[in-house]
């Protein structure tokens, strides 16, 4: 006796979705082709493709079309070549199967090919004009290619891109414009990653607070339990109306009420405040603990400077999603010690130079800023917020010359720092800068 097949019959809509899921990543999808292959109406095919897009298994971009992609994750933290193509309004000439690969860094091909290939490795993106040999060399070294100026490339290069699953993209924009677009996108990803809100870190298991009618003796007892001396004061509806600290209690009798001693209308934050904003607020106001309130100023909890700084330090230790201009500029530099002073030494690559063959002032300013950050981190554990940079550029820095950076902290306090940064090339001073900044520690 034969056994009946109990598997339910798939609708045409479900058949199309299953067919799309079976396609390899990078495959182009069209309504007309789906309708023809599965013998369905174009309307049915269109609706199924839209649902597949909502499910994150296909994506549609202008000039690229609809492409089968890996299912999107909830937390996309990397820039893919597919997104690069969309950012620069590019056309994919070949290597579509590699569109879902991640971009590690980009290299501007404004140099001879032998020199250029030294900076290219797997996961790179070479931004270059109409140079077929450079296209081929980049692909052979595991890098994708972005051709600027709207140029095409040869069928041979396209076949190579397809075989290696490395995208080759053409954009009508010039090299500087596409590099700026990609750099901005990388920064945006890094910024989004670093934005953590107070609601992500606040603990509400125990809230320490007092009433205006509480006494100094009650404050002292609560301080022992809380482990800190900054206690919010709330009214009968749990709204924050004040704050008391050890400074407020100096010379106060044990039976004295907090109503006469508290600081009224204290600084507060809400759950949607970013951790970085809370840290900066603590720095500017010189306070170590902030009450967290809702829209009606009702107390939800507190966050301390120590808690906030631990979160910021954790974020800073996380791996980055891709290299930005600043990362690439600083990458060749290594630390050295001379006469018990920290310095940094590196060679100026062709990518850092202007059309005149000298290192641009923008690159030198970036190096000055990076050196200031690093010397501050070594001497005082905390964060640095630069207020002003005054720089004198004395001599040009030549391409591929060695640059030595010597930062020195002139003055540092709990809130401020002055840092002098000197740049030397070929045994002469080429630039000197004075950096003034706000600092705040994690204590």
């Amino acid at each position: 006796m034969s056994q009946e097949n109990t598997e339910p019959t798939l609708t045409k809509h479900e058949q199309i979705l299953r067919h799309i899921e079976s396609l390899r990543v990078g495959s182009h999808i069209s309504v007309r082709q789906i309708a023809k292959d599965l013998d369905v109406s174009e309307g049915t095919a269109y609706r199924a493709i839209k649902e597949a897009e909502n499910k994150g298994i296909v994506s549609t971009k202008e000039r690229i079309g609809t492409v089968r992609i890996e299912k999107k994750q909830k937390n996309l933290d990397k820039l893919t070549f597919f997104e690069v193509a969309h950012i620069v309004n590019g056309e994919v000439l070949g290597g579509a199967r590699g569109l879902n690969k991640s971009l590690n860094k980009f290299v501007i091909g404004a140099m001879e090919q032998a020199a250029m290939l030294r900076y290219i490795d797997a996961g790179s993106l070479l931004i270059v004009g109409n140079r077929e040999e450079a296209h081929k060399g980049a692909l052979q070294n595991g890098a994708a290619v972005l051709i600027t100026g709207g140029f095409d490339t040869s069928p041979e290069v396209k076949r190579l891109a397809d075989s290696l699953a490395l995208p080759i993209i053409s954009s009508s924009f010039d090299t500087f414009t596409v590099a700026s677009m990609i750099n901005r996108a990388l920064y945006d990803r890094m910024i989004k990653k670093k934005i953590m809100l107070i609601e992500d870190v606040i603990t509400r298991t125990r809230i320490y607070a007092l009433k205006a009618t509480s006494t100094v003796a009650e404050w002292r007892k609560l301080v022992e339990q809380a482990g800190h001396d900054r206690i919010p004061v709330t009214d009968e509806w749990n709204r924050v109306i004040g704050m008391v600290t050890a400074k407020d209690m100096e010379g106060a009798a044990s039976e004295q009420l907090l109503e006469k001693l508290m600081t009224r209308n204290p600084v507060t934050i809400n759950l949607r405040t970013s951790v970085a904003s809370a840290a900066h607020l603590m720095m500017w106001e010189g306070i170590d603990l902030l009450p967290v309130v809702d829209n009606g100023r009702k107390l939800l909890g507190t966050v301390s400077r120590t808690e906030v700084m631990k979160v910021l330090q954790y974020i800073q230790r996380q791996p980055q999603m891709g290299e930005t201009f600043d990362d690439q500029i600083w990458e060749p530099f290594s630390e050295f010690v001379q006469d018990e002073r920290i310095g940094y030494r590196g060679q100026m690559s062709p990518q850092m130079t202007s059309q005149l063959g000298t290192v641009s002032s923008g690159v030198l300013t970036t190096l000055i800023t990076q050196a200031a950050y690093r010397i501050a981190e070594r001497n005082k554990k905390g964060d640095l917020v630069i207020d002003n940079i005054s720089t004198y550029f004395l001599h040009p820095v030549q391409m591929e010359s060695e640059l030595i950076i010597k930062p020195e902290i002139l003055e540092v306090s709990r809130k401020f720092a002055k840092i002098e940064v000197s740049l030397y090339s070929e045994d002469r001073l080429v630039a000197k800068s004075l950096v003034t900044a706000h600092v705040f520690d994690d204590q």
Side-chain angles (χ1 to χ4, degrees):
M1 183 175 180
S2 63
Q3 184 178 3
E4 292 185 359
N5 185 2
T6 58
E7 183 178 347
T9 304
L10 296 177
T11 65
K12 290 183 177 180
H13 184 83
E14 292 169 334
Q15 290 175 23
I16 298 171
L17 287 175
R18 180 169 291 188
H19 171 72
I20 292 173
E21 289 174 350
S22 69
L23 296 175
R24 70 182 184 185
V25 173
S27 300
H28 285 269
I29 299 169
S30 72
V31 170
R32 183 172 298 176
Q33 191 63 44
I34 291 288
K36 180 181 177 181
D37 292 345
L38 300 183
D39 192 24
V40 297
S41 69
E42 291 189 1
T44 301
Y46 175 80
R47 286 190 293 273
I49 291 173
K50 280 300 177 184
E51 181 170 335
E53 189 171 359
N54 293 334
K55 292 174 68 175
I57 61 174
V58 303
S59 184
T60 304
K61 300 294 182 184
E62 186 180 356
R63 299 188 66 182
I64 300 175
T66 302
V67 181
R68 173 73 167 91
I69 62 172
E70 292 284 359
K71 188 170 183 179
K72 296 178 180 177
Q73 302 299 315
K74 289 184 178 180
N75 295 314
L76 288 177
D77 60 353
K78 293 188 176 182
L79 195 64
T80 64
F81 293 122
F82 184 89
E83 292 168 307
V84 169
H86 174 59
I87 289 166
V88 302
N89 195 25
E91 178 183 357
V92 179
L93 304 178
R97 287 189 296 117
L99 284 171
N100 236 46
K101 293 179 179 178
S102 298
L103 168 68
N104 294 330
K105 68 176 181 180
F106 60 88
V107 177
I108 298 173
M111 61 193 91
E112 294 297 324
Q113 182 159 337
M116 179 173 32
L117 293 179
R118 293 203 305 264
Y119 302 98
I120 295 175
D121 49 29
S124 301
L125 174 69
L126 174 65
I127 302 175
V128 70
N130 188 23
R131 296 172 58 183
E132 185 178 326
E133 287 303 313
H135 306 165
K136 188 184 300 182
L139 292 170
Q140 290 170 340
N141 279 269
V145 179
L146 174 54
I147 306 173
T148 58
F151 290 106
D152 201 345
T153 191
S154 69
E156 180 188 355
V157 172
K158 293 178 184 178
R159 286 193 295 269
L160 180 62
D162 288 335
S163 65
L164 297 174
L166 289 170
I168 185 161
I169 303 162
S170 176
S171 172
S172 59
F173 294 112
D174 60 77
T175 298
F176 176 80
T177 301
V178 298
S180 299
M181 288 175 166
I182 297 169
N183 192 61
R184 179 69 264 170
L186 287 171
Y187 267 123
D188 288 346
R189 289 299 175 95
M190 292 174 67
I191 290 168
K192 288 178 182 178
K193 180 184 177 184
K194 289 185 177 181
I195 295 177
M196 185 173 285
L197 304 179
I198 290 298
E199 66 180 353
D200 299 321
V201 301
I202 185 175
T203 55
R204 310 185 215 187
T205 53
R206 176 69 189 274
I207 300 176
Y208 297 98
L210 293 167
K211 301 297 182 184
T213 53
S214 300
T215 64
V216 173
E218 290 175 293
W219 171 82
R220 290 171 180 161
K221 183 177 180 180
L222 190 60
V223 164
E224 292 179 3
Q225 299 176 28
H228 57 80
D229 61 19
R230 190 172 177 84
I231 305 295
V233 180
T234 60
D235 62 13
E236 57 185 309
W237 295 284
N238 198 38
R239 296 178 302 193
V240 175
I241 58 173
M243 184 73 71
V244 286
T245 66
K247 186 176 180 180
D248 298 321
M249 299 301 170
E250 291 178 0
S254 298
E255 66 277 5
Q256 197 165 348
L257 300 182
L258 301 184
E259 185 178 13
K260 302 294 184 180
L261 301 170
M262 68 182 183
T263 300
R264 295 184 179 275
N265 301 316
V267 177
T268 60
I269 56 175
N270 58 51
L271 293 174
R272 300 299 295 172
T273 302
S274 70
V275 172
S277 294
H280 284 263
L281 185 59
M282 290 178 177
M283 175 188 71
W284 288 109
E285 298 292 337
I287 53 182
D288 296 321
L289 184 137
L290 285 170
V292 183
V293 300
D294 64 12
N295 293 334
R297 288 189 66 83
K298 290 185 178 180
L299 182 64
L300 301 175
T302 59
V303 291
S304 67
R305 179 194 293 255
T306 301
E307 291 171 330
V308 166
M309 290 307 301
K310 282 181 179 178
V311 172
L312 291 178
Q313 289 170 357
Y314 169 78
I315 294 171
Q316 290 169 357
R317 287 194 297 266
Q318 299 309 297
Q320 303 301 326
M321 286 72 70
E323 289 190 353
T324 64
F325 282 152
D326 291 359
D327 298 323
Q328 293 187 48
I329 289 170
W330 187 258
E331 194 272 336
F333 283 82
S334 58
E335 184 181 294
F336 69 91
V337 180
Q338 183 179 27
D339 299 329
E340 299 184 353
R341 287 181 55 186
I342 300 296
Y344 303 94
R345 178 186 288 112
Q347 189 177 45
M348 299 291 92
S349 71
Q351 294 185 79
M352 301 180 187
T353 58
S354 65
Q355 293 180 344
L356 301 176
T358 59
V359 178
S360 68
S361 58
V363 168
L364 294 177
T365 301
T366 297
L367 293 172
I368 289 166
T369 304
Q370 293 293 323
Y373 276 123
R374 281 164 171 76
I375 198 69
E377 288 174 355
R378 288 186 65 92
N379 287 269
K380 188 176 180 66
K381 292 182 179 179
D383 203 357
L384 189 74
V385 183
I386 292 178
D387 287 333
N388 183 62
I389 301 178
S390 299
T391 305
Y392 293 91
F393 298 106
L394 306 175
H395 298 283
V397 179
Q398 300 301 319
M399 178 177 64
E400 296 188 338
S401 61
E402 184 181 65
L403 186 69
I404 294 175
I405 309 172
K406 294 183 177 180
E408 180 181 4
I409 294 181
L410 302 179
E411 183 182 348
V412 64
S413 65
R414 187 167 177 265
K415 291 188 178 182
F416 300 98
K418 291 182 181 178
I419 303 169
E420 182 182 76
V421 183
S422 302
L423 276 61
Y424 297 87
S425 180
E426 298 177 350
D427 296 326
R428 67 177 178 178
L429 182 67
V430 296
K432 185 175 281 288
S433 182
L434 179 64
V435 180
T436 57
H438 276 82
V439 296
F440 60 99
D441 56 34
D442 56 356
Q443 303 301 317

